[in-house]
Amino acid sequence: MTNSSLNEAVEVGGASPNDATMATASPRQFLKAFARVGGLMATIVLVVAVFAVASNGLIMVPDNLLGLLRYMSTIAIVGLGLTFVLIVGEIDLSFANLYGLSAMSMAVAWLDWGWPLWLAILLALAIGVAVGAFNAFFTSVVGIPSFIATLGSSTLIFGFNLLISGAQRFAPASPPAGKNVSLGEVSFFRGLSNQHLPFGIPMQVLWMILIAGIFWVVLNRSLFGFRLRAIGGNAVAARFARIPVRRYKFWAFCIAGLAAAVAGLLDFAFIGSIQPDAGQALLFPTFAAVVIGGASLQGGRGSVVGTLLGALLLAVIANGLALLAAGSFAQQMFLGVVTIGAVVLDQVTRSWRRDQ
Amino acid sequence: MTATAAAGVSIQHVVKRYGDTVALAGLSLQVEPGEILGVAGPNGAGKSTLIKVLAGEVRPDSGTISVRGEPWTAELGTHRIAVVHQDPQLFPNLTVAENLLAGREPSRTRRPHLQQADRDMLEETGLLRYADHVLGDLPLALQQRTEIARALVRNADVFLFDEPNSALTEDESEELFTRMHALADSGRMVVLVTHRLPELAAHADRVAVIVDGSCRTILARAELSEERLARELVVGRVAVATDVRAQRQGADVTSLLLENWTHASGAFHDIRLSLTRGEIVAVVGVEGSGGRELVRSVAHFEKASGSREPAGTADEVAFVAADRANSLFDNLSVAENLYIRQSARIRTRGGLLKRREAETLASEARRDFLVKTAALDMPIRSLSGGNQQKVAIASALALDPDLVVLEEPTRGVDVSSKAEIYRLLRAFAKRDRTVLLYCTEDSEVFDVADRAVVISRGRTVGELDCTSFTDAESLAGEIAGLTTGVVRPVARTAGGAR
């Protein structure tokens, strides 16, 4: 383990402090931290092994692994945004529909209204931030619980999505009748996510790594991330310490919105088409990934590495069950069991850590 | 002795520890039928733990309790012992009648209805006309009365009143005390826990003074007076080193002057407060006196109007709340808790934290403020209560503000940490800074303050030069004297239905 991933691991532990003050991590702390991340890693290895046996090694085929990584990257990018919101002590239910809305508005602006590609992408990102700001406004200015505010905005933006799309599917390869799209723009856009790097790794995975790196630095090295954790840990104490609580919550929601928009765009670019209900199936897996990764719904806890591992676990499960053609009922049931199991495991290891 | 013990509540050698903190240290106490037993004591003395143990909310580590000769059981705690809280612990979403019935339903399936006995009880307590009102919409006094009625229909015979009238109007508390006397006269046992000495002096038959988890003395009716109680509360406390106490020095340079200072929602009115550089000023008053709101308004956390010279900005005042639950971050380490308020000063242009500097700030604060911790990266809750409080205060003082405002800086803190905290505050003030405290304990005022501003019912009733007193007892007596005659708190609830 490198030093930085060790620090991150401690972060996942929650009870242990952030690395900003850790000159040296004692072996005991390392052990405690490993109890959490190590457990998650072991679970992933175990699940992969089970599927490898059950699918006659099909899951280990490189092409399959790459597809798995790509699915993981979607959950991870959306999940990282959600992680920030959970850390600051709020909740966001709107990201799934926001993923669809931003990609759809981009598609409509680009393919139907004839906007240049760059402007359409900018619009999608702006919509992500704007919906985040909308959520933050109702949560911290109007003062309604973020659960309600984002539940409402989720449905609201889905309605908006249906309105602008006319409930139609859009694909750059077959623009609406009478519209033309430059082939150069189409191939550039597809390439944002679909282009293959060495070893056939899709570009989207690179985006995930880049975004995770930025989020890691913000959460573990910046003033912003430090205060985000403090506010999530104790909002009253943060107010008395004159930390601008509202402003930080505002930015956390905006970042989550932006992350959802980016994920929506990348998936659209990869898949090559967008339908109005895109993203709705992401709501549960993303929450599961983030919570399995150690983020607390009470706020103050959560980490980048944890969320990435959580996303990986869910991608493995989804992929493995699909390979076995287990049927969607099995996938849903498995997802439910794993989520509850992971949180129970966390409770157990947490009390174990406390006793140490 | 055994005969009366069998008749009343007998508490024998009860011990309760929370981690390192001893809340009850072998407390023994008798409550006789037909009496109102007052309980007085400083914050953290164990009063609320005593109530919780009697009501069965916490289990004592050792010791025995019996009620009318029967040993205490959970069943007994639920049915025979009733607690009337400052904030009633009922179902605010149900009606008064439903509150009376909840948990006492005769049928497993049918919705319960008021029986004749219940109606009689509501009639007797004057609640019948409110029977169908939703409890949460009623004034506090009526909610408390519902709590009493609920206990009476359960045949409770031990009534514990925990700061019952701190938010009632004068008329409402008068009526509450009448009811309390009626309960006692009917042969029940009544325990009244309150910070308000005038009420103890006026209504209790005996008053037990509890200090450091055991009963120091019991004052009989004939000996009861406010001044006597005030003295008892500070006498025999473990003395804090005298080097903390002030010697007035330097020129009087005003650092803050408030005039006609009035709280936005009426907790205090027309206050004049002047603070001088280098001094520690204590605002003294019981809960509900407006003192807490006053110091918070100085720290810009409560809205108030009037003249403030210099107006200043919020960033120039540091504030430490009384409760550590409101001043520390559980998910952060000791070090992070120490430098969190300074974190904006140690960021790079790119918004990153300078980790080396953060570590330096934390270890300096640990050294300067005598924080005892195995390592700076330990979780904050691994420290003792006193050291946690030192961290909370250190994080504010390390900012080096011109004015620091602290609420009850040593509440629930052990004696040696107390002395260290006072020394830290004194050292801070000596550097031409101003310290403003809100205190509810007279001994704290004597130990650390240069000047006491006594507040009662939202108005200042006097100022005392603490340095002119040679012992805490006489200062406590003087403060009690100042508050006499204005014993009633400010009404928090609107008059409304009555």
Side-chain angles (χ1 to χ4, degrees):
Chain A
M1 236 181 185
T2 65
N3 186 39
S4 59
S5 59
L6 165 64
N7 289 333
E8 180 63 30
V10 168
E11 176 61 26
V12 175
S16 298
N18 154 284
D19 55 3
T21 56
M22 242 179 12
T24 52
S26 69
R28 200 179 53 125
Q29 279 170 328
F30 179 87
L31 214 69
K32 280 185 181 181
F34 199 75
R36 183 79 188 85
V37 173
L40 194 46
M41 283 178 171
T43 310
I44 292 171
V45 170
L46 190 75
V47 173
V48 169
V50 168
F51 281 127
V53 172
S55 68
N56 287 324
L58 221 55
I59 197 168
M60 302 303 284
V61 171
D63 270 3
N64 184 62
L65 285 180
L66 293 175
L68 190 156
L69 275 182
R70 198 200 67 79
Y71 179 59
M72 168 199 172
S73 63
T74 302
I75 295 182
I77 294 171
V78 182
L80 287 171
L82 179 63
T83 305
F84 270 34
V85 174
L86 289 189
I87 286 178
V88 82
E90 299 289 348
I91 203 163
D92 186 357
L93 299 172
S94 67
F95 61 83
N97 275 326
L98 179 54
Y99 163 106
L101 175 71
S102 50
M104 183 56 83
S105 355
M106 183 264 166
V108 171
W110 181 36
L111 303 175
D112 196 10
W113 306 342
W115 287 23
L117 178 63
W118 65 270
L119 196 60
I121 290 179
L122 216 59
L123 172 75
L125 300 180
I127 284 175
V129 175
V131 171
F134 178 91
N135 290 336
F137 174 80
F138 281 98
T139 300
S140 42
V141 180
V142 181
I144 60 179
S146 52
F147 183 89
I148 300 297
T150 59
L151 187 66
S153 71
S154 176
T155 302
L156 189 66
I157 59 183
F158 183 51
F160 212 74
N161 184 332
L162 293 173
L163 175 72
I164 59 162
S165 66
Q168 294 292 308
R169 183 173 161 278
F170 282 79
S174 51
K179 310 280 178 182
N180 284 312
V181 184
S182 105
L183 284 179
E185 278 189 347
V186 173
S187 75
F188 175 79
F189 179 61
R190 297 294 311 273
L192 280 180
S193 164
N194 207 356
Q195 189 174 321
H196 285 227
L197 302 168
F199 305 108
I201 296 171
M203 188 76 166
Q204 193 171 356
V205 175
L206 193 70
W207 283 109
M208 170 185 76
I209 294 169
L210 185 73
I211 290 169
I214 294 170
F215 273 54
W216 189 89
V217 171
V218 170
L219 192 56
N220 297 288
R221 289 288 182 273
S222 77
L223 177 69
F224 182 83
F226 176 51
R227 287 182 159 184
L228 217 55
R229 285 196 303 126
I231 292 169
N234 191 341
V236 176
R239 189 172 79 93
F240 285 145
R242 302 199 192 284
I243 293 173
V245 175
R246 276 189 197 175
R247 202 197 310 160
Y248 276 78
K249 289 194 169 176
F250 178 85
W251 285 119
F253 276 110
C254 290
I255 289 169
L258 186 62
V262 167
L265 286 181
L266 289 174
D267 269 9
F268 177 30
F270 189 90
I271 297 164
S273 73
I274 180 86
Q275 68 268 14
D277 64 351
Q280 291 189 335
L282 281 177
L283 184 62
F284 187 80
T286 307
F287 256 101
V290 172
V291 171
I292 288 171
S296 160
L297 295 174
Q298 273 83 50
R301 274 175 16 110
S303 79
V304 171
V305 166
T307 295
L308 290 179
L309 289 176
L312 179 58
L313 178 63
L314 283 160
V316 167
I317 291 170
N319 180 267
L321 291 173
L323 285 178
L324 297 180
S328 55
F329 74 92
Q331 180 139 354
Q332 295 295 323
M333 285 159 75
F334 212 85
L335 215 53
V337 170
V338 168
T339 304
I340 295 175
V343 177
V344 170
L345 189 77
D346 184 36
Q347 293 269 353
V348 173
T349 56
R350 213 187 308 176
S351 62
W352 175 74
R353 281 198 304 266
R354 240 199 315 273
D355 296 340
Q356 291 300 295
Chain B
M1 188 67 201
T2 42
T4 56
V9 177
S10 168
I11 301 159
Q12 299 287 345
H13 312 295
V14 167
V15 176
K16 177 67 199 174
R17 288 191 195 83
Y18 294 104
D20 292 341
T21 320
V22 180
L24 294 177
L27 182 107
S28 299
L29 200 57
Q30 306 280 335
V31 192
E32 314 290 345
E35 76 165 348
I36 298 180
L37 175 72
V39 174
N43 285 324
K47 303 188 300 289
S48 46
T49 309
L50 172 65
I51 292 219
K52 283 181 185 155
V53 165
L54 280 172
E57 287 168 36
V58 300
R59 294 185 72 85
D61 298 328
S62 65
T64 57
I65 302 170
S66 64
V67 180
R68 297 207 194 266
E70 299 169 47
W72 193 96
T73 59
E75 179 80 352
L76 203 73
T78 332
H79 295 291
R80 303 263 308 274
I81 299 177
V83 188
V84 180
H85 299 89
Q86 181 180 340
D87 305 306
Q89 314 266 303
L90 291 172
F91 312 96
N93 53 331
L94 302 184
T95 65
V96 170
E98 287 167 340
N99 265 287
L100 211 61
L101 294 167
R104 220 164 41 85
E105 302 87 350
S107 158
R108 276 174 170 272
T109 50
R110 251 171 299 149
R111 189 185 170 84
H113 292 283
L114 287 180
Q115 308 295 312
Q116 192 52 47
D118 302 327
R119 288 192 177 280
D120 293 346
M121 185 55 65
L122 286 175
E123 178 79 72
E124 194 184 315
T125 45
L127 287 169
L128 196 56
R129 50 185 289 224
Y130 301 106
D132 294 326
H133 283 57
V134 173
L135 187 78
D137 298 343
L138 295 175
L140 208 56
L142 291 175
Q143 298 189 26
Q144 281 182 335
R145 229 188 284 168
T146 308
E147 213 166 25
I148 297 175
R150 187 175 148 84
L152 285 173
V153 296
R154 288 163 175 261
N155 286 322
D157 59 1
V158 182
F159 282 78
L160 312 172
F161 289 87
D162 187 6
E163 303 280 350
N165 66 330
S166 54
L168 299 187
T169 64
E170 197 163 335
D171 289 344
E172 287 168 339
S173 2
E174 210 46 64
E175 128 82 55
L176 179 70
F177 282 112
T178 312
R179 219 160 271 287
M180 227 180 270
H181 282 291
L183 287 171
D185 292 344
S186 67
R188 294 181 170 90
M189 291 152 269
V190 178
V191 178
L192 168 64
V193 176
T194 179
H195 274 107
R196 293 165 190 273
L197 307 184
E199 274 129 20
L200 286 174
H203 299 287
D205 296 307
R206 294 185 303 150
V207 173
V209 178
I210 294 186
V211 177
D212 296 331
S214 57
C215 183
R216 161 152 343 110
T217 181
I218 294 184
L219 298 176
R221 181 78 224 151
E223 314 169 84
L224 272 180
S225 74
E226 264 180 75
E227 282 77 4
R228 179 70 199 275
L229 276 168
R231 272 167 230 267
E232 285 297 337
L233 280 174
V234 291
V235 80
R237 80 211 154 82
V238 183
V240 163
T242 47
D243 62 335
V244 191
R245 299 205 62 213
Q247 313 85 37
R248 263 289 169 79
Q249 50 172 5
D252 283 354
V253 182
T254 303
S255 60
L256 183 72
L257 177 62
L258 302 179
E259 280 175 310
N260 303 319
W261 195 242
T262 299
H263 188 241
S265 39
F268 55 81
H269 310 271
D270 299 322
I271 300 278
R272 185 183 187 283
L273 179 68
S274 112
L275 305 178
T276 309
R277 285 187 174 280
E279 78 171 338
I280 301 180
V281 178
V283 170
V284 190
V286 294
E287 211 62 63
S289 62
R292 186 182 297 279
E293 290 80 0
L294 175 62
V295 301
R296 285 195 175 188
S297 76
V298 171
H300 300 271
F301 285 113
E302 288 278 342
K303 285 207 173 77
S305 59
S307 111
R308 177 181 182 132
E309 265 317 307
T313 62
D315 288 337
E316 291 162 14
V317 189
F319 175 75
V320 183
D323 195 344
R324 284 194 290 279
N326 292 332
S327 57
L328 292 173
F329 301 87
D330 279 1
N331 59 334
L332 302 185
S333 68
V334 175
E336 289 171 322
N337 270 287
L338 280 169
Y339 69 71
I340 178 136
R341 294 186 192 230
Q342 291 167 279
S343 55
R345 295 178 183 174
I346 50 167
R347 72 172 154 199
T348 64
R349 284 173 148 259
L352 299 187
L353 276 182
K354 296 179 188 164
R355 305 169 70 207
R356 195 60 36 91
E357 287 188 30
E359 278 171 37
T360 313
L361 284 180
S363 47
E364 278 174 6
R366 172 201 197 171
R367 186 194 63 217
D368 294 349
F369 299 100
L370 316 166
V371 178
K372 289 181 202 73
T373 173
L376 278 170
D377 60 2
M378 298 287 279
I380 184 72
R381 291 291 168 196
S382 67
L383 303 192
S384 70
N387 276 293
Q388 286 183 34
Q389 184 65 8
K390 273 191 260 174
V391 170
I393 293 174
S395 82
L397 296 190
L399 272 176
D400 202 18
D402 274 345
L403 170 61
V404 63
V405 177
L406 304 101
E407 287 176 352
E408 305 173 79
T410 61
R411 185 161 95 181
V413 159
D414 62 285
V415 178
S416 67
S417 299
K418 242 179 211 183
E420 282 177 352
I421 287 171
Y422 293 152
R423 226 173 268 136
L424 294 172
L425 291 176
R426 176 56 63 197
F428 181 77
K430 271 194 177 149
R431 295 177 25 239
D432 249 14
R433 304 290 190 263
T434 310
V435 178
L436 178 66
L437 309 176
Y438 168 60
C439 299
T440 54
E441 276 171 51
D442 299 338
S443 60
E444 182 164 274
V445 179
F446 175 80
D447 283 332
V448 71
D450 301 318
R451 194 151 57 86
V453 176
V454 184
I455 184 165
S456 178
R457 290 184 82 189
R459 295 181 192 274
T460 45
V461 291
E463 276 198 31
L464 298 171
D465 179 1
C466 302
T467 52
S468 66
F469 291 85
T470 52
D471 59 308
E473 291 80 359
S474 50
L475 177 64
E478 193 72 29
I479 291 173
L482 279 172
T483 46
T484 312
V486 272
V487 300
R488 296 299 172 204
V490 192
R492 210 166 57 192
T493 40
R498 164 155 275 276

